[in-house]
Structures are given as C-alpha cells and as structure tokens.
C-alpha cells in the first residue's frame, strides 16, 4: 500500500486525538505533527494573531512536503477561509465534517463545547443550520479547559471543576442531549464529561476529520479500523515539532495509546 505524508496542526496536544484516529485507520503514513504549545490556547487570541501563528506552522509543513494538512484545532478551523487563500498545501478543517455529522442526527437542539473564539465565530451553527435548518446549536465556551489539559502533569481537580461548570451551563438550556466536543483537547478527558453527565452523548469529531484527510490524499475508503493504533514502524512514522516540552508529548502519546514519535524538533 502506498505511503502518504500528512501534516497535523494544533495550538497544543489536542490534535493528537486526530493522530490517534489516523493511526487506527491502518494506512501506512508519515505524520508530521506541529503543536504550538507555547501559545496554547489559540481560542483566547484575536483573529490576526491566530492566522499569523498558524501560517508559521504551515510554513514548517510546506518544508516537510506533506500532501495535506489536518487542521486539528477548531479555533484554527474557524479561520480556514482566510488560510486556504494563503496556503500552498490542501487544508482539511475539523468543523465542516463535524457539522455535516451533527446536521444528520436530526436532533432539534445540540450542544457545542469549545473555546471562546470558536463559539463566537458561529461557524458550527452556520454550517449545521445550512445543512439542516431545523437544528439549533447551543454553545458553551471555556477559556481554561484546553490549557488545563495541555499542562502536564494535570491539575485533575481543576479540569473536573471546569467541565462541571460547562455542563451546568449547558443544562440551563434544558433541551440538549447531544454535545459536540468542539475543541480537540476535550476528547482527551471525554471520560470525565461522560462521568459528570451520563445522560448526555458527547461526540468526538476526530475520526470524521481523519477520514476526510485520508480522502484528500487519495485514500478513497479507509481500511477497517483496528482496536489499537498500529505500532509497526512500517505502518506509522511520526515527527513532532513543538514549541513546548517533548516530555509532555511522550506522556500524552502514551496516554492516548499512540506509538512513540521517532523524532522531536523544536518549533
């Protein structure tokens, strides 16, 4: 099977949830991950700064000659219209496939947990409403959760407290039973969401984006998924380029069951 070289970008380690889904697909891949942990979270920054920081990551990936880039960050994905006109590489955002999936559920009310920028952009709501006008999106933003998840070791009490606060705000709507995790950091602690709100369904869109980026590089149909990420070197190779701490990445890769990266490079 032909190998493909894919870039994945995020403001921090949340995009590793998309890497996990790519590994589960069973396709031979060279993955180049760029995480700008020194500036996490992007969701508290203005548009011009988000675009400038993202262009720096895309320039790095252009030098690595990747075939396509998965924007494994909802905040960056909310700026994709700006980025696509400037990028030399095909970009696959995470919002559009998630919006299509949510619209297809035909639930009249759905929730969105995300960063402040993502919620304020309104892009999820716009795309979901365009696909299914009967759906209303109720967004709850967090300025803290992505950074808390990105900080190793975790402050588990603070993470739990922030998630409880987000769920309480969503419950005030009174109509939501399904919530999209609209920040790639959030599925890392999906078990906490599920524990605190067992009556709600939480959707991780990482697999949807993984399938989309595979199609972008010419893999028409992803092979049957295995229960564990492929560990053979011949199946997956990974380089992590980060402005953060490689040791934190090693911990997170292990926590998510992703094979170790062969190389770490400073961003």
């Amino acid at each position: 099977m032909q190998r493909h070289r894919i870039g994945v970008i995020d403001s921090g380690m949340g995009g590793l949830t998309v890497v996990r889904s790519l590994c589960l697909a069973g396709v031979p891949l060279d993955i180049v991950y760029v995480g700008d942990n020194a500036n996490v979270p992007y969701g508290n920054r203005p548009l011009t700064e988000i675009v400038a920081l993202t262009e720096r990551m895309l320039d790095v990936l252009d030098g690595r000659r990747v075939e396509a880039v998965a924007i494994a960050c909802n905040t960056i994905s909310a700026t994709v219209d700006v980025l696509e006109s400037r990028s030399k590489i095909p970009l696959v955002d995470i919002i559009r496939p998630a919006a299509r999936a949510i619209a297809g559920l035909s639930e009249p009310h759905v929730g969105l947990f995300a960063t402040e920028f993502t919620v304020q952009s309104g892009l999820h709501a716009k795309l979901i409403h365009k696909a299914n006008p009967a759906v209303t999106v109720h967004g709850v933003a967090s300025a803290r959760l992505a950074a808390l998840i990105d900080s190793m070791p975790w402050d588990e009490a603070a993470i739990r407290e922030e998630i409880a606060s987000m769920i309480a705000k969503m419950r005030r709507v009174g109509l939501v039973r399904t919530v999209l995790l609209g920040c790639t950091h959030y599925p890392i602690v999906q078990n906490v969401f599920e524990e605190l709100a067992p009556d709600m369904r939480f959707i991780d869109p990482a697999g949807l984006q993984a399938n989309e980026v595979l199609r972008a590089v010419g893999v028409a149909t992803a092979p049957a998924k295995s229960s564990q990420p492929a560990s053979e070197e011949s199946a997956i190779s990974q380089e992590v380029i980060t402005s953060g701490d490689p040791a934190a990445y090693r911990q997170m890769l292990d926590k998510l069951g992703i094979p170790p990266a062969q190389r770490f490079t400073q961003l």
Side-chain angles (χ1 to χ4, degrees):
M1 186 181 294
Q2 181 183 352
R3 296 189 69 83
H4 294 279
R5 192 168 182 82
I6 290 175
V8 181
I9 62 172
D10 184 28
S11 62
M13 292 190 284
L16 292 175
T17 56
V18 176
V19 172
R20 176 174 59 184
S21 291
L22 287 169
C23 291
L24 286 168
V27 177
L29 297 173
D30 298 322
I31 298 173
V32 184
Y33 185 93
V34 186
D36 188 14
N37 301 67
N39 292 298
V40 69
Y42 279 15
N44 299 337
R45 299 178 182 276
L47 173 62
T48 54
E49 194 172 349
I50 293 167
V51 170
L53 290 169
T54 303
E55 286 182 317
R56 180 175 67 141
M57 293 193 284
L58 292 175
D59 285 345
V60 170
L61 288 175
D62 185 43
R64 294 299 196 277
R65 298 187 178 184
V66 298
E67 299 169 57
V69 175
I71 304 177
C73 172
N74 286 262
T75 296
I76 300 174
S77 290
T79 73
V80 69
D81 288 345
V82 176
L83 294 169
E84 281 181 330
S85 64
R86 305 182 185 188
S87 176
K88 304 172 186 175
I89 315 166
L91 304 179
V92 178
D93 72 275
I94 197 167
I95 294 180
R96 281 179 284 203
R100 287 194 295 269
I102 292 294
L105 295 177
S106 296
E107 295 187 19
H109 298 274
V110 296
L112 170 68
F113 285 152
T115 66
E116 292 182 328
F117 184 92
T118 300
V119 172
Q120 290 170 8
S121 78
L123 187 56
H124 284 89
K126 176 183 175 182
L127 294 175
I128 290 169
H129 184 76
K130 183 177 180 180
N132 187 343
V135 180
T136 299
V137 177
H138 304 274
V140 170
S142 171
R144 301 177 61 224
L145 187 56
L148 286 169
I149 295 169
D150 219 69
S151 300
M152 304 288 280
W154 281 351
D155 183 340
E156 295 188 10
I159 289 173
R160 191 177 183 88
E161 179 184 3
E162 183 67 9
I163 291 173
S165 174
M166 295 165 71
I167 290 171
K169 291 174 183 175
M170 188 64 72
R171 286 200 186 282
R172 293 186 195 122
V173 176
L175 302 167
V176 174
R177 293 293 174 266
T178 297
V179 181
L180 175 66
L181 297 178
C183 170
T184 52
H185 284 80
Y186 297 175
I188 296 172
V189 291
Q190 186 165 340
N191 63 308
V192 181
F193 283 98
E194 292 170 343
E195 179 187 343
L196 294 177
D199 56 318
M200 290 182 175
R201 174 171 59 158
F202 298 97
I203 294 181
D204 170 12
L208 299 170
Q209 186 184 31
N211 286 337
E212 198 91 350
V213 76
L214 288 173
R215 284 192 288 271
V217 299
V219 180
T221 303
K225 293 183 179 181
S226 61
S227 60
Q228 296 293 327
S231 58
E232 299 86 353
E233 288 187 17
S234 60
I236 298 290
S237 74
Q238 298 174 78
E239 177 186 6
V240 173
I241 303 169
T242 178
S243 58
D245 180 9
Y249 272 88
R250 292 186 180 97
Q251 284 182 264
M252 189 63 76
L253 288 167
D254 182 64
K255 180 180 284 289
L256 295 176
I258 300 171
Q262 284 76 27
R263 181 181 178 190
F264 287 89
T265 306
Q266 191 67 29
L267 177 62

